[in-house]
Amino acid sequence: MASVVELAPSILSANFAELGAEAKAALAGGGTVLHLDVMDGHFVPNITIGPPVVASLRKSIPDATFDCHLMIENPDEFIPAFAESGANWISVHQEACVHLDRTLHLIESHGCKAGVVINPATPVHTLDDVLEIVHHVLVMSVNPGFGAQHFIPNSLKKVESLARIRDSRGLEFRIEIDGGVALDTVGDIVRAGAEILVAGNAVFAHGDIRENAQALLRAARSASSFSSPSRLRRTSAQVPRTPKADRRRRQT
Ligand code: DX5
Ligand code: ZN
């Protein structure tokens, strides 16, 4: 069993002309999940990548876990294409899904792990009825749309609250956080109970990508060293995609 804390480098702050090489450098520095931010210019005021970019990255990085964070309207229309292009995890915003339960099952039916995301202004209790069916909950600690924004401290309370709910209900979902994760915030973030740390600016924007990833992971792991054994689980690299038979059962 490995420590629960994992780094998910977000390519949003990478040099897109060198995407494959920069993503590989972040993974070489200890990142275990590659975080891919998909923006449509409607749900958020920015446009980024679509399935062809995910498919190209998948060709050059066959083994890493790809975590597609969909900041888009009508995610159901695009989930099959992202699954087909190589996503392992797909997360959708609670705020963007009219039929959230259906959308989460749709993700699973395509063989991916389903995650749900909440914006800074969305309360944790809005997820009460889907926590049993998600693989991860992503807490936005900035308003989505751009990298390099300031961390919103209230998100720590949301992480703590999710960790408490998970314990009290005996659930399994993992807690991911996204936005403003850096050397000066990561200690509090990990102590609050976040396990998958998305970081863009802190990894890609300045200096050596591999060293940045290593330094952030070191800081995170030293803050988590007090963790109790019940918070130790396997890493994402060891989590298989949903087997086909199970996928069929979960189809809605
Ligand atoms: C923001 C994105 C994030 C972003 C985080 O909408 O979802 O993944 O890359 O960037 P940093 O780490 O720079 O705050
Ligand atoms: Zn993201």
Side-chain angles (χ1 to χ4, degrees):
M1 291 281 193
S3 164
V4 75
V5 177
E6 291 187 69
L7 178 64
S10 163
I11 60 156
L12 187 60
S13 294
N15 172 358
F16 275 35
E18 305 289 342
L19 199 47
E22 295 207 351
K24 283 179 189 167
L27 296 170
T32 38
V33 174
L34 196 65
H35 186 82
L36 306 173
D37 285 310
V38 178
M39 305 185 187
D40 66 353
H42 293 278
F43 181 67
V44 289
N46 198 359
I47 299 176
T48 55
I49 62 165
V53 175
V54 178
S56 297
L57 278 170
R58 177 51 84 200
K59 270 190 208 140
S60 89
I61 307 174
D63 297 328
T65 296
F66 281 9
D67 171 25
C68 287
H69 173 194
L70 304 189
M71 287 162 273
I72 62 176
E73 290 177 357
N74 305 317
D76 294 25
E77 284 179 29
F78 297 95
I79 284 164
F82 281 103
E84 184 64 25
S85 33
N88 300 95
W89 302 357
I90 297 179
S91 57
V92 291
H93 273 256
Q94 183 270 0
E95 304 87 1
C97 295
V98 179
H99 302 290
L100 180 58
D101 180 271
R102 174 181 289 146
T103 302
L104 294 168
H105 283 112
L106 178 68
I107 294 169
E108 282 201 333
S109 77
H110 285 276
C112 296
K113 301 290 180 191
V116 65
V117 193
I118 46 173
N119 278 337
T122 303
V124 165
H125 71 75
T126 58
L127 303 181
D128 278 356
D129 293 331
V130 295
L131 291 178
E132 282 175 18
I133 60 170
V134 292
H135 167 262
H136 58 287
V137 175
L138 174 51
V139 174
M140 288 308 300
S141 40
V142 297
N143 287 295
F146 304 96
Q149 301 183 75
H150 288 299
F151 182 79
I152 298 174
N154 186 57
S155 54
L156 295 176
K157 287 188 207 150
K158 294 162 89 167
V159 168
E160 285 165 357
S161 157
L162 280 163
R164 263 197 314 273
I165 294 168
R166 182 176 61 191
D167 278 356
S168 70
R169 289 174 57 184
L171 300 176
E172 290 290 325
F173 63 85
R174 302 187 69 195
I175 304 172
E176 184 175 24
I177 192 159
D178 185 0
V181 176
L183 286 175
D184 61 340
T185 54
V186 74
D188 288 342
I189 289 169
V190 167
R191 282 187 289 270
E195 302 151 328
I196 302 158
L197 312 171
V198 176
N201 191 59
V203 171
F204 292 101
H206 312 281
D208 184 276
I209 293 169
R210 181 182 165 149
E211 284 170 14
N212 293 341
Q214 284 170 336
L216 197 53
L217 206 45
R218 234 185 348 261
R221 291 202 162 134
S222 86
S224 78
S225 54
F226 73 97
S227 295
S228 69
S230 68
R231 291 184 53 205
L232 299 181
R233 296 166 190 218
R234 59 189 179 179
T235 63
S236 308
Q238 298 165 288
V239 178
R241 280 162 70 108
T242 312
K244 270 202 172 127
D246 195 36
R247 265 186 255 164
R248 276 196 296 276
R249 258 202 316 280
R250 304 297 305 260
Q251 243 163 0
T252 52

